[in-house]
Amino acid sequence: MQAVADQLNRATMNETLTKTDAQAYLLSLINKTLRIHATDGRMFIGTFKCTDTDRNVVLSLTYEYRQPSQQKLTEAAAAAASTNSQTVKADMTSRYLGLVVIPGEHIVKMEVEEFASQVKGRSIWDRRDLYSGIL
């Protein structure tokens, strides 16, 4: 996973990000899977479709993930205690939402979901954001 903000910050440190560069970067994200964290603790994973000047983001094929409730955490802790486990595991609850608009004011962090196999398939010039200090 790569944080979108980290990539933009890296580009800004090395050179001034022009409006054209910013637009090109956003265009490169279209139809990629994004993970967006919201101020209320929810996480949305879906396919990036568009954004606007207010930083609202539209995702398609989206799943929403929520932190487990206090009751679920208590049950998981009790189960871990009964098996003498040192760790407590509780799954996030999820539901399918489809097409969603996430208001920009509620976005805490955005990440691009990329696997090593996807990055290897691109040329080094397409990956210059990863090698900005080298090129």
Side-chain angles (χ1 to χ4, degrees):
M1 294 288 174
Q2 298 173 332
V4 175
D6 289 344
Q7 288 183 339
L8 288 174
N9 287 337
R10 229 180 295 140
T12 304
M13 288 188 298
N14 294 326
E15 60 187 49
T16 304
L17 191 63
T18 65
K19 185 176 181 180
T20 306
D21 292 337
Q23 288 173 340
Y25 181 69
L26 282 174
L27 283 172
S28 75
L29 295 177
I30 291 177
N31 291 324
K32 291 201 176 172
T33 302
L34 295 186
R35 180 185 298 173
I36 298 180
H37 299 266
T39 54
D40 61 1
R42 291 182 294 170
M43 181 175 57
F44 300 92
I45 299 177
T47 305
F48 177 62
K49 291 301 177 185
C50 67
T51 186
D52 61 12
T53 56
D54 294 325
R55 299 181 321 235
N56 300 319
V57 173
V58 176
L59 297 178
S60 67
L61 305 173
T62 306
Y63 284 86
E64 171 195 54
Y65 295 89
R66 292 178 177 259
Q67 297 294 331
S69 66
Q70 193 60 40
Q71 179 184 358
K72 297 258 185 193
L73 288 174
T74 305
E75 291 170 4
S82 67
T83 61
N84 293 329
S85 176
Q86 295 294 325
T87 59
V88 176
K89 290 188 178 184
D91 292 329
M92 296 178 81
T93 57
S94 67
R95 65 180 178 154
Y96 178 75
L97 299 176
L99 189 66
V100 297
V101 176
I102 303 167
E105 65 189 47
H106 297 295
I107 295 175
V108 175
K109 181 169 70 169
M110 293 173 58
E111 298 172 310
V112 179
E113 187 173 283
E114 277 190 322
F115 299 100
S117 60
Q118 292 170 312
V119 174
K120 287 179 187 173
R122 294 186 295 188
S123 74
I124 194 164
W125 298 110
D126 293 336
R127 294 184 280 160
R128 64 179 167 262
D129 57 324
L130 299 174
Y131 301 105
S132 58
I134 298 171
L135 299 177

